[in-house]
């Protein structure tokens, strides 16, 4: 099952069409598009530019299908709109933050918060699975 169908099933339409929902979906799509590059970088390798462009193509299509809205004006999200259009994005100062651990941690935190706010019955499962500190 693709992400869009799962996202639509789990998150209510009111959230998905709102600014926060659209911004979170944009960030998730960017995550999927950069996953292979992030894994390669974590392993100490250099991503293949041709493979990066292949991986970024669905994200480019996602951006094209969404059009421009107020999410585009969010300064924190602007680098994501440039991501599929720059060569070696992991090496470009204006978009390389997407490849950092902090960006991924922030995304995870925000996804968990969105899920908890939309489905309050789910937190018990998360709490059971969360690592104990």
């Amino acid at each position: 099952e693709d992400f869009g169908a799962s996202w639509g099933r789990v998150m209510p339409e009111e959230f998905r069409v709102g600014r926060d929902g659209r911004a979170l979906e944009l960030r998730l799509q960017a995550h999927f598009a950069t996953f292979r590059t992030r894994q390669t970088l974590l392993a100490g390798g250099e991503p293949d530019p041709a493979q990066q462009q292949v991986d970024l193509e669905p994200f480019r299509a996602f951006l094209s299908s969404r059009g421009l809205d107020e999410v585009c004006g969010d300064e924190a999200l602007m680098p994501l709109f440039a991501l599929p259009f720059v060569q070696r994005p992991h090496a470009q100062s204006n978009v390389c933050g997407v490849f950092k651990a902090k960006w991924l941690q922030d995304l995870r935190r925000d996804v968990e918060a969105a899920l908890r706010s939309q489905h309050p019955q789910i937190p018990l499962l998360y709490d059971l699975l969360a690592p104990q500190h």
Side-chain angles (χ1 to χ4, degrees):
E1 183 172 3
D2 77 347
F3 169 74
S6 297
W7 186 247
R9 194 179 70 250
V10 173
M11 300 306 285
E13 184 177 6
E14 309 83 58
F15 177 77
R16 287 182 285 126
V17 301
R19 189 175 200 292
D20 290 341
R22 288 191 324 273
L24 188 55
E25 184 178 9
L26 173 70
R27 292 170 56 208
L28 283 165
Q29 292 289 346
H31 163 67
F32 298 138
T34 58
F35 182 79
R36 187 187 325 255
T37 296
R38 189 178 298 106
Q39 295 299 97
T40 300
L41 292 169
L42 282 172
E46 179 63 27
D48 173 32
Q51 184 62 55
Q52 278 184 309
Q53 290 308 307
V54 169
D55 291 345
L56 288 168
E57 187 54 40
F59 186 57
R60 183 180 294 116
F62 170 80
L63 293 176
S64 296
S65 71
R66 297 298 182 208
L68 300 176
D69 60 22
E70 75 266 16
V71 173
C72 295
D74 186 331
E75 225 173 279
L77 298 176
M78 285 199 178
L80 299 181
F81 289 94
L83 193 60
F85 303 102
V86 295
Q87 295 295 316
R88 300 183 66 239
H90 62 284
Q92 302 297 324
S93 62
N94 57 340
V95 294
C96 68
V98 175
F99 299 94
K100 306 289 184 201
K102 178 168 181 3
W103 187 88
L104 193 55
Q105 290 165 354
D106 291 347
L107 176 61
R108 180 181 177 146
R109 178 200 64 221
D110 294 346
V111 168
E112 286 179 0
L115 288 170
R116 287 177 190 261
S117 73
Q118 300 302 317
H119 297 284
Q121 69 277 19
I122 294 175
L124 179 58
L125 179 61
Y126 280 115
D127 293 339
L128 291 173
L129 297 175
Q132 302 299 318
H133 297 280

